[in-house]
Amino acid sequence: MTLRYRVGFFTAACLLALGTSVGLASAQKAPTIPYEKFTLPNGLEVILHVDRSVPIVAVENFYKVGSGDEKRGRTGFAHLFEHVMFMGSQNVPVGKFDEWLEAAGASNNGSTNFDRTNYYETGPSNALPLMLWLDADRMGWLLPTMDKEKLDLQRDVVKNERRQSYDNVPYGRAYETILPVMFPSNHPYSWPVIGSLADLSAASVTDVSDFFRQYYAPNNATITIAGDFNADSAKTWVRKYFGNVPRNAEIARPVVPAVALKKDTVMMMEDRVQLPRAYYVWHSVKAFSPDDAALDALTDIIAGGKSSRLYRTLVYEKQIAQDVSMGNSSSKLDGMIMLTATAKPGVHPRELDVEIAKAIADVAARGVTERELIRVKNGMRASTIDRLSSVLGKATQLSYYNYFTGTPDYMAKDLERYESLTLADIQRVAKQYVAGQPKIVLTVVPEGKKELALIAGDLR
């Protein structure tokens, strides 16, 4: 459930090796991304960022639709359309979208999560008109070419992707086992982004066409252009290619109530795995909520990397775990904290549970150290700078901030959320959201080894 445009935190040691003073992160000026934003009469948002450093341009088409906009029985449509959008449109025959871009030296891809679907191209600056024209044609004129043959082809691709990512990989079904317990059945986060095989099989051309009409409209999209281009020319091309795409009716977003776990839920699942793995999941907060940054810091300190408390204890010192990780995933409607730990051969997960409970209780009771907090702050700054290392990275960041905060260049304020954190903040959220709070505990065990699962009596 990786829903944020972030990379892993750097450790303080890495920063020191690079010659960066651990204590100086907050003293450096936050980076900015100069931009221009305007809206076409049909509702399409356009964000421009000119960067002349290299003759490369990136275009991101950000559609405000993800699996969180689906309904039970009609799951997987957002991700399915991520694939269908590459199948040609009224003026682009099947296969030509990729072929024409590649001939111009450009590449393209897309992705889907709970909250959005994006499509992006990167290539030489002179390919910008082609990129925009291709994107406009599939936004406005894909449906006339939609037929059952295309749908069946991409349906089979998505089904195979599901098998490769969920059904036929070790521990692959853990995530979708947790979601319906974390969220009630009518909550749009209670199913995985890829959807169910049954829903994908049942989807008709009419079903997916209705989904496209509702969400793939200019008034539900943002086009971000970043790189080496002339802003006036880009505006002309955007108006020419996208200006005639008709807007759709305003979208009524799902209203979901606040969700909370009321008690611990302990589960076990057999799988074709060699080692037992324990999953601990707590409710978190929405993206950019007041406690979002503090929870990011907390999870990083407990088990966010090789310098974290639990990694040192479980993997290095006691050598009872193959791996351990923890993260805070915050999305538009809700969030969740997940900790995973895989036992070493011959080790029962209850040995891991003792150390996990001890580490969490220690943070809640005694807090964290100044050094740990500085490491997190420096790590966030380092990852922020890394995200700006390419024009595509800038484009995705501008689109992301625009959707979640309404301000494309929100980076300085985003960093301030972390740089203003105090030791008391970390201790408080440890108590409020994790230590002693209701959680889901799932143990995935090798087939026929149910005795390796954690039970309620094992939990500390």
Side-chain angles (χ1 to χ4, degrees), residues 26 30 293 377 380-381 410-421:
S26 61
K377 293 179 179 182
M380 177 51 67
R381 178 169 289 276
Y410 194 78
M411 189 161 291
K413 291 183 179 179
D414 193 6
L415 281 174
E416 176 58 27
R417 298 188 306 146
Y418 297 89
E419 292 172 353
S420 64
L421 289 174

Side-chain angles (χ1 to χ4, degrees), residues 420-434:
S420 64
L421 289 174
T422 66
L423 298 176
D425 291 329
I426 310 305
Q427 186 175 13
R428 177 182 58 79
V429 297
K431 295 177 181 179
Q432 184 174 343
Y433 296 94
V434 182

